[in-house]
Amino acid sequence: MGVLTMGVFPGLVGSGCYDFALKLAGAAADKGHVVNIWFSGNATVSVKAHQKHLKDYSTGEKYLVELMEKGVEVCTCEACTVSRGIQKTESIAKIQWNAMHWYLSKIHCSDRVLQIGGE
Amino acid sequence: MADVKCAFIVQRPQYKGETSRLALTHALSYQTVEVLLEDGDTVTPSLCFVGEGLLGISKGQNAMAPYGINSSEMHAKNCLLVDLDVYVCKEDMERFGITENQLPDADDMGAEKKINIVPFAQIEKIMEEAKHVLFF
């Protein structure tokens, strides 16, 4: 089995890319691959806990919790996150907070990297 | 001990969106990645500007006064200061009418590196030699 690292940059609401990235991560984890997810840019908003899953909007929380239960490592860019007014104490449990070098370190040990752009 | 080469391909203008700007800051973080790696392991990014990605690194930007943020020019200078290899596509420079003296340097900061103006064929070669290619 391989190691897949995904850099996810699009926002939670307003882009189908975010939803696609999480679904793909789940499919890879189900196949037994090691999966790492790095959030940067507008994607970092999705780490806020207590999201209400309305059917007309994408949600991150439910799927992120499921992914982490499968062993997927999820890390958010601390600078991007706090710049959007979200503090670590408000974060979904078990999501890691770190700097951009976390992403590069996961890239180092990855067989495949998918950079999911933001705009 | 292993070095992993990554090609960061910036193809969008820096102020129209955030992601292309994040390419520069992510590339800069190669300076500190070793704290999370085994001894001797390294990541070496090459930062390549193609297409509209060239439009955001012109010399003489003033993003701080009106917007209160660091300019892409400053990030590009910092990349040179920390010895990142920075490339711009020669054909796209000609297409947009950008001349060499419009590109920033970091001589005032004491950088030894310069921006490399190269044909697209060389950027393709950088992508081929990289283990991972990331498009911003």
Side-chain angles (χ1 to χ4, degrees), chain B residues 5-57:
Chain B
K5 287 184 169 40
C6 297
F8 284 49
I9 311 297
V10 184
Q11 53 186 354
R12 296 190 181 106
Q14 279 74 44
Y15 294 100
K16 190 173 179 183
E18 186 185 24
T19 302
S20 53
R21 183 181 167 82
L22 288 168
L24 281 73
T25 50
H26 279 73
L28 279 167
S29 74
Y30 96 103
Q31 280 281 292
T32 53
V33 68
E34 289 168 35
V35 298
L36 298 175
L37 298 176
E38 299 293 326
D39 283 351
D41 286 347
T42 51
V43 176
T44 305
S46 296
L47 186 60
C48 306
F49 293 90
V50 300
E52 293 182 359
L54 267 71
L55 298 175
I57 56 166

Short mmCIF file of all heavy atoms in Angstrom, two decimals, chain B residues 5-57:
data_model
loop_
_atom_site.label_atom_id
_atom_site.label_comp_id
_atom_site.label_asym_id
_atom_site.label_seq_id
_atom_site.Cartn_x
_atom_site.Cartn_y
_atom_site.Cartn_z
N LYS B 5 12.81 16.15 -4.55
CA LYS B 5 12.66 17.37 -5.36
C LYS B 5 11.18 17.59 -5.68
O LYS B 5 10.48 16.67 -6.10
CB LYS B 5 13.44 17.23 -6.66
CG LYS B 5 14.95 17.32 -6.48
CD LYS B 5 15.63 17.26 -7.84
CE LYS B 5 17.10 17.61 -7.79
NZ LYS B 5 17.83 17.10 -6.66
N CYS B 6 10.73 18.82 -5.49
CA CYS B 6 9.35 19.19 -5.80
C CYS B 6 9.35 20.39 -6.73
O CYS B 6 10.14 21.33 -6.54
CB CYS B 6 8.58 19.57 -4.53
SG CYS B 6 8.42 18.24 -3.35
N ALA B 7 8.49 20.36 -7.71
CA ALA B 7 8.33 21.52 -8.61
C ALA B 7 7.03 22.23 -8.24
O ALA B 7 5.95 21.62 -8.30
CB ALA B 7 8.30 21.05 -10.06
N PHE B 8 7.15 23.47 -7.82
CA PHE B 8 5.98 24.30 -7.52
C PHE B 8 5.70 25.15 -8.77
O PHE B 8 6.51 26.02 -9.10
CB PHE B 8 6.25 25.22 -6.33
CG PHE B 8 6.22 24.53 -4.98
CD1 PHE B 8 6.91 23.36 -4.75
CD2 PHE B 8 5.51 25.09 -3.94
CE1 PHE B 8 6.87 22.74 -3.51
CE2 PHE B 8 5.48 24.49 -2.69
CZ PHE B 8 6.16 23.30 -2.48
N ILE B 9 4.61 24.89 -9.43
CA ILE B 9 4.30 25.59 -10.67
C ILE B 9 3.21 26.62 -10.39
O ILE B 9 2.06 26.27 -10.09
CB ILE B 9 3.83 24.61 -11.77
CG1 ILE B 9 4.80 23.41 -11.89
CG2 ILE B 9 3.67 25.34 -13.10
CD1 ILE B 9 6.20 23.77 -12.30
N VAL B 10 3.58 27.89 -10.48
CA VAL B 10 2.63 28.97 -10.20
C VAL B 10 2.08 29.48 -11.52
O VAL B 10 2.81 30.02 -12.34
CB VAL B 10 3.31 30.11 -9.43
CG1 VAL B 10 2.29 31.18 -9.05
CG2 VAL B 10 4.01 29.57 -8.19
N GLN B 11 0.78 29.30 -11.72
CA GLN B 11 0.21 29.64 -13.03
C GLN B 11 -0.93 30.65 -12.92
O GLN B 11 -1.62 30.91 -13.89
CB GLN B 11 -0.27 28.36 -13.72
CG GLN B 11 -1.18 27.52 -12.87
CD GLN B 11 -1.52 26.19 -13.51
OE1 GLN B 11 -1.17 25.93 -14.65
NE2 GLN B 11 -2.23 25.35 -12.79
N ARG B 12 -1.14 31.19 -11.72
CA ARG B 12 -2.21 32.19 -11.56
C ARG B 12 -1.63 33.44 -10.92
O ARG B 12 -0.69 33.36 -10.12
CB ARG B 12 -3.33 31.63 -10.68
CG ARG B 12 -4.02 30.44 -11.30
CD ARG B 12 -5.26 30.10 -10.51
NE ARG B 12 -5.94 28.94 -11.06
CZ ARG B 12 -5.93 27.73 -10.50
NH1 ARG B 12 -5.28 27.53 -9.39
NH2 ARG B 12 -6.57 26.74 -11.05
N PRO B 13 -2.20 34.60 -11.19
CA PRO B 13 -1.68 35.83 -10.58
C PRO B 13 -1.92 35.85 -9.07
O PRO B 13 -2.91 35.31 -8.59
CB PRO B 13 -2.47 36.94 -11.28
CG PRO B 13 -3.67 36.28 -11.83
CD PRO B 13 -3.32 34.86 -12.09
N GLN B 14 -0.99 36.43 -8.35
CA GLN B 14 -1.00 36.30 -6.89
C GLN B 14 -2.12 37.06 -6.18
O GLN B 14 -2.53 36.68 -5.10
CB GLN B 14 0.35 36.74 -6.32
CG GLN B 14 1.42 35.66 -6.41
CD GLN B 14 1.93 35.48 -7.82
OE1 GLN B 14 2.18 36.45 -8.49
NE2 GLN B 14 2.09 34.25 -8.26
N TYR B 15 -2.59 38.15 -6.73
CA TYR B 15 -3.58 38.94 -5.98
C TYR B 15 -5.02 38.60 -6.37
O TYR B 15 -5.95 39.00 -5.68
CB TYR B 15 -3.32 40.44 -6.16
CG TYR B 15 -2.01 40.85 -5.52
CD1 TYR B 15 -0.88 41.03 -6.30
CD2 TYR B 15 -1.91 41.03 -4.15
CE1 TYR B 15 0.33 41.38 -5.72
CE2 TYR B 15 -0.71 41.37 -3.56
CZ TYR B 15 0.41 41.56 -4.36
OH TYR B 15 1.61 41.89 -3.78
N LYS B 16 -5.20 37.85 -7.44
CA LYS B 16 -6.55 37.48 -7.83
C LYS B 16 -7.10 36.38 -6.91
O LYS B 16 -8.29 36.29 -6.66
CB LYS B 16 -6.54 36.99 -9.29
CG LYS B 16 -7.92 36.81 -9.88
CD LYS B 16 -7.83 36.48 -11.35
CE LYS B 16 -9.21 36.28 -11.95
NZ LYS B 16 -9.14 35.89 -13.35
N GLY B 17 -6.21 35.58 -6.42
CA GLY B 17 -6.59 34.53 -5.49
C GLY B 17 -5.48 34.32 -4.48
O GLY B 17 -4.41 34.91 -4.59
N GLU B 18 -5.74 33.45 -3.55
CA GLU B 18 -4.78 33.26 -2.47
C GLU B 18 -3.81 32.11 -2.74
O GLU B 18 -2.67 32.13 -2.28
CB GLU B 18 -5.56 32.97 -1.17
CG GLU B 18 -4.69 32.88 0.06
CD GLU B 18 -5.48 32.48 1.29
OE1 GLU B 18 -6.54 31.84 1.15
OE2 GLU B 18 -5.04 32.81 2.40
N THR B 19 -4.28 31.13 -3.50
CA THR B 19 -3.51 29.89 -3.61
C THR B 19 -2.14 30.09 -4.24
O THR B 19 -1.14 29.53 -3.76
CB THR B 19 -4.31 28.85 -4.42
OG1 THR B 19 -5.55 28.64 -3.76
CG2 THR B 19 -3.56 27.54 -4.49
N SER B 20 -2.08 30.89 -5.31
CA SER B 20 -0.80 31.06 -5.98
C SER B 20 0.20 31.76 -5.06
O SER B 20 1.40 31.51 -5.11
CB SER B 20 -0.98 31.84 -7.27
OG SER B 20 -1.66 33.04 -7.02
N ARG B 21 -0.32 32.63 -4.23
CA ARG B 21 0.54 33.31 -3.25
C ARG B 21 1.04 32.30 -2.21
O ARG B 21 2.20 32.36 -1.77
CB ARG B 21 -0.31 34.39 -2.59
CG ARG B 21 0.35 35.28 -1.61
CD ARG B 21 -0.74 36.23 -1.09
NE ARG B 21 -0.31 36.94 0.07
CZ ARG B 21 0.43 38.04 0.04
NH1 ARG B 21 0.82 38.52 -1.12
NH2 ARG B 21 0.78 38.64 1.14
N LEU B 22 0.18 31.36 -1.84
CA LEU B 22 0.58 30.34 -0.87
C LEU B 22 1.67 29.43 -1.43
O LEU B 22 2.40 28.79 -0.68
CB LEU B 22 -0.63 29.51 -0.44
CG LEU B 22 -1.63 30.23 0.47
CD1 LEU B 22 -2.93 29.45 0.60
CD2 LEU B 22 -1.02 30.46 1.85
N ALA B 23 1.79 29.37 -2.75
CA ALA B 23 2.88 28.58 -3.34
C ALA B 23 4.22 29.11 -2.86
O ALA B 23 5.14 28.34 -2.55
CB ALA B 23 2.79 28.65 -4.87
N LEU B 24 4.33 30.43 -2.80
CA LEU B 24 5.61 31.02 -2.40
C LEU B 24 5.91 30.74 -0.93
O LEU B 24 7.04 30.39 -0.57
CB LEU B 24 5.59 32.54 -2.65
CG LEU B 24 5.83 32.99 -4.09
CD1 LEU B 24 4.64 32.71 -4.98
CD2 LEU B 24 6.17 34.47 -4.14
N THR B 25 4.90 30.90 -0.08
CA THR B 25 5.15 30.69 1.35
C THR B 25 5.39 29.20 1.66
O THR B 25 6.21 28.88 2.53
CB THR B 25 3.99 31.24 2.20
OG1 THR B 25 2.75 30.74 1.68
CG2 THR B 25 3.95 32.75 2.15
N HIS B 26 4.68 28.32 0.94
CA HIS B 26 4.93 26.89 1.15
C HIS B 26 6.34 26.52 0.68
O HIS B 26 7.02 25.72 1.33
CB HIS B 26 3.89 26.04 0.42
CG HIS B 26 2.59 25.89 1.16
ND1 HIS B 26 1.69 26.91 1.28
CD2 HIS B 26 2.07 24.85 1.85
CE1 HIS B 26 0.64 26.48 1.99
NE2 HIS B 26 0.85 25.24 2.35
N ALA B 27 6.75 27.09 -0.43
CA ALA B 27 8.11 26.79 -0.91
C ALA B 27 9.15 27.29 0.10
O ALA B 27 10.14 26.61 0.40
CB ALA B 27 8.34 27.44 -2.27
N LEU B 28 8.89 28.46 0.66
CA LEU B 28 9.82 29.02 1.66
C LEU B 28 9.98 28.10 2.87
O LEU B 28 11.04 28.08 3.51
CB LEU B 28 9.32 30.39 2.13
CG LEU B 28 9.62 31.59 1.24
CD1 LEU B 28 8.79 32.79 1.67
CD2 LEU B 28 11.10 31.93 1.30
N SER B 29 8.94 27.35 3.20
CA SER B 29 8.98 26.54 4.41
C SER B 29 9.95 25.36 4.30
O SER B 29 10.15 24.64 5.28
CB SER B 29 7.57 26.05 4.78
OG SER B 29 7.15 25.02 3.92
N TYR B 30 10.55 25.18 3.13
CA TYR B 30 11.55 24.12 3.02
C TYR B 30 12.73 24.37 3.96
O TYR B 30 13.46 23.47 4.34
CB TYR B 30 12.03 23.99 1.56
CG TYR B 30 13.30 24.73 1.22
CD1 TYR B 30 14.51 24.05 1.09
CD2 TYR B 30 13.31 26.11 1.02
CE1 TYR B 30 15.69 24.72 0.78
CE2 TYR B 30 14.46 26.78 0.70
CZ TYR B 30 15.66 26.08 0.58
OH TYR B 30 16.82 26.75 0.28
N GLN B 31 12.85 25.63 4.36
CA GLN B 31 13.93 26.01 5.27
C GLN B 31 13.81 25.35 6.64
O GLN B 31 14.80 25.17 7.34
CB GLN B 31 13.91 27.54 5.46
CG GLN B 31 14.56 28.31 4.36
CD GLN B 31 16.06 28.29 4.49
OE1 GLN B 31 16.61 28.87 5.41
NE2 GLN B 31 16.73 27.64 3.56
N THR B 32 12.58 25.03 7.05
CA THR B 32 12.39 24.50 8.41
C THR B 32 11.86 23.07 8.42
O THR B 32 11.62 22.52 9.49
CB THR B 32 11.42 25.40 9.20
OG1 THR B 32 10.21 25.56 8.44
CG2 THR B 32 12.02 26.76 9.48
N VAL B 33 11.68 22.46 7.26
CA VAL B 33 11.07 21.13 7.22
C VAL B 33 11.94 20.08 7.91
O VAL B 33 11.44 19.07 8.42
CB VAL B 33 10.75 20.71 5.76
CG1 VAL B 33 12.01 20.47 4.96
CG2 VAL B 33 9.87 19.48 5.74
N GLU B 34 13.23 20.33 7.98
CA GLU B 34 14.13 19.32 8.55
C GLU B 34 13.82 18.99 10.00
O GLU B 34 14.16 17.91 10.48
CB GLU B 34 15.58 19.77 8.39
CG GLU B 34 16.03 19.70 6.94
CD GLU B 34 17.35 20.40 6.69
OE1 GLU B 34 18.21 20.35 7.58
OE2 GLU B 34 17.51 20.99 5.61
N VAL B 35 13.14 19.90 10.70
CA VAL B 35 12.80 19.60 12.10
C VAL B 35 11.81 18.44 12.19
O VAL B 35 11.67 17.81 13.25
CB VAL B 35 12.21 20.83 12.83
CG1 VAL B 35 13.23 21.96 12.89
CG2 VAL B 35 10.91 21.30 12.20
N LEU B 36 11.11 18.16 11.09
CA LEU B 36 10.13 17.07 11.10
C LEU B 36 10.61 15.83 10.35
O LEU B 36 9.88 14.86 10.22
CB LEU B 36 8.81 17.56 10.48
CG LEU B 36 8.10 18.70 11.21
CD1 LEU B 36 6.88 19.16 10.41
CD2 LEU B 36 7.67 18.26 12.60
N LEU B 37 11.84 15.87 9.84
CA LEU B 37 12.36 14.75 9.05
C LEU B 37 13.51 14.05 9.79
O LEU B 37 14.04 14.57 10.78
CB LEU B 37 12.87 15.26 7.69
CG LEU B 37 11.83 15.91 6.78
CD1 LEU B 37 12.50 16.45 5.51
CD2 LEU B 37 10.73 14.92 6.40
N GLU B 38 13.86 12.88 9.30
CA GLU B 38 15.01 12.17 9.83
C GLU B 38 16.28 12.93 9.43
O GLU B 38 16.29 13.66 8.44
CB GLU B 38 15.08 10.74 9.25
CG GLU B 38 13.87 9.88 9.58
CD GLU B 38 13.76 9.55 11.06
OE1 GLU B 38 14.81 9.41 11.72
OE2 GLU B 38 12.63 9.47 11.56
N ASP B 39 17.34 12.70 10.17
CA ASP B 39 18.62 13.35 9.88
C ASP B 39 19.04 13.08 8.44
O ASP B 39 19.03 11.93 7.99
CB ASP B 39 19.72 12.83 10.82
CG ASP B 39 19.60 13.45 12.20
OD1 ASP B 39 18.80 14.37 12.35
OD2 ASP B 39 20.31 12.98 13.11
N GLY B 40 19.40 14.13 7.74
CA GLY B 40 19.87 13.99 6.37
C GLY B 40 18.79 14.06 5.31
O GLY B 40 19.09 14.21 4.13
N ASP B 41 17.54 13.93 5.71
CA ASP B 41 16.45 14.04 4.75
C ASP B 41 16.15 15.51 4.45
O ASP B 41 16.17 16.35 5.35
CB ASP B 41 15.17 13.37 5.27
CG ASP B 41 15.26 11.86 5.24
OD1 ASP B 41 16.19 11.35 4.58
OD2 ASP B 41 14.42 11.20 5.88
N THR B 42 15.88 15.78 3.20
CA THR B 42 15.59 17.17 2.80
C THR B 42 14.50 17.21 1.73
O THR B 42 14.24 16.21 1.05
CB THR B 42 16.85 17.86 2.21
OG1 THR B 42 17.41 17.01 1.21
CG2 THR B 42 17.90 18.13 3.28
N VAL B 43 13.89 18.37 1.61
CA VAL B 43 12.96 18.64 0.50
C VAL B 43 13.50 19.84 -0.25
O VAL B 43 13.84 20.86 0.37
CB VAL B 43 11.54 18.95 1.02
CG1 VAL B 43 10.61 19.32 -0.13
CG2 VAL B 43 10.96 17.76 1.80
N THR B 44 13.60 19.72 -1.56
CA THR B 44 14.13 20.84 -2.36
C THR B 44 13.09 21.28 -3.38
O THR B 44 12.88 20.60 -4.39
CB THR B 44 15.42 20.42 -3.09
OG1 THR B 44 16.36 19.93 -2.13
CG2 THR B 44 16.03 21.61 -3.82
N PRO B 45 12.43 22.39 -3.10
CA PRO B 45 11.46 22.88 -4.10
C PRO B 45 12.13 23.75 -5.16
O PRO B 45 13.11 24.45 -4.88
CB PRO B 45 10.49 23.73 -3.26
CG PRO B 45 11.12 23.91 -1.92
CD PRO B 45 12.44 23.20 -1.90
N SER B 46 11.58 23.68 -6.36
CA SER B 46 11.91 24.66 -7.40
C SER B 46 10.63 25.44 -7.66
O SER B 46 9.56 24.85 -7.83
CB SER B 46 12.35 23.97 -8.68
OG SER B 46 13.54 23.26 -8.47
N LEU B 47 10.74 26.75 -7.68
CA LEU B 47 9.57 27.60 -7.82
C LEU B 47 9.54 28.14 -9.25
O LEU B 47 10.44 28.88 -9.65
CB LEU B 47 9.66 28.73 -6.80
CG LEU B 47 8.49 29.68 -6.64
CD1 LEU B 47 7.22 28.95 -6.23
CD2 LEU B 47 8.83 30.74 -5.58
N CYS B 48 8.51 27.76 -10.00
CA CYS B 48 8.46 28.12 -11.43
C CYS B 48 7.21 28.96 -11.71
O CYS B 48 6.10 28.55 -11.36
CB CYS B 48 8.41 26.88 -12.30
SG CYS B 48 9.74 25.70 -11.97
N PHE B 49 7.39 30.10 -12.33
CA PHE B 49 6.27 30.97 -12.70
C PHE B 49 6.00 30.83 -14.19
O PHE B 49 6.89 31.09 -15.00
CB PHE B 49 6.58 32.42 -12.34
CG PHE B 49 6.68 32.66 -10.86
CD1 PHE B 49 7.89 32.54 -10.20
CD2 PHE B 49 5.55 33.00 -10.12
CE1 PHE B 49 7.98 32.74 -8.83
CE2 PHE B 49 5.62 33.21 -8.76
CZ PHE B 49 6.84 33.08 -8.11
N VAL B 50 4.78 30.45 -14.51
CA VAL B 50 4.38 30.32 -15.91
C VAL B 50 3.05 31.03 -16.12
O VAL B 50 2.29 31.27 -15.16
CB VAL B 50 4.26 28.84 -16.34
CG1 VAL B 50 5.57 28.10 -16.18
CG2 VAL B 50 3.15 28.14 -15.57
N GLY B 51 2.75 31.35 -17.37
CA GLY B 51 1.46 31.97 -17.69
C GLY B 51 1.19 33.20 -16.83
O GLY B 51 2.09 34.01 -16.57
N GLU B 52 -0.06 33.32 -16.37
CA GLU B 52 -0.44 34.49 -15.57
C GLU B 52 0.25 34.53 -14.21
O GLU B 52 0.20 35.53 -13.51
CB GLU B 52 -1.96 34.52 -15.40
CG GLU B 52 -2.70 34.77 -16.71
CD GLU B 52 -4.20 34.84 -16.52
OE1 GLU B 52 -4.67 34.67 -15.39
OE2 GLU B 52 -4.90 35.06 -17.51
N GLY B 53 0.87 33.44 -13.84
CA GLY B 53 1.64 33.43 -12.58
C GLY B 53 2.74 34.47 -12.57
O GLY B 53 3.16 34.93 -11.50
N LEU B 54 3.19 34.86 -13.77
CA LEU B 54 4.25 35.87 -13.87
C LEU B 54 3.77 37.26 -13.44
O LEU B 54 4.57 38.11 -13.07
CB LEU B 54 4.73 35.99 -15.31
CG LEU B 54 5.93 35.17 -15.76
CD1 LEU B 54 5.56 33.71 -15.85
CD2 LEU B 54 6.38 35.68 -17.13
N LEU B 55 2.46 37.47 -13.51
CA LEU B 55 1.94 38.83 -13.35
C LEU B 55 2.04 39.36 -11.92
O LEU B 55 1.87 40.54 -11.69
CB LEU B 55 0.48 38.88 -13.81
CG LEU B 55 0.27 38.55 -15.30
CD1 LEU B 55 -1.21 38.50 -15.63
CD2 LEU B 55 0.98 39.56 -16.18
N GLY B 56 2.30 38.49 -10.98
CA GLY B 56 2.29 38.94 -9.59
C GLY B 56 3.64 39.20 -8.97
O GLY B 56 3.72 39.50 -7.78
N ILE B 57 4.71 39.06 -9.71
CA ILE B 57 6.03 39.21 -9.07
C ILE B 57 6.82 40.40 -9.60
O ILE B 57 8.03 40.46 -9.48
CB ILE B 57 6.87 37.93 -9.18
CG1 ILE B 57 7.03 37.49 -10.64
CG2 ILE B 57 6.28 36.83 -8.32
CD1 ILE B 57 8.12 36.44 -10.83
#
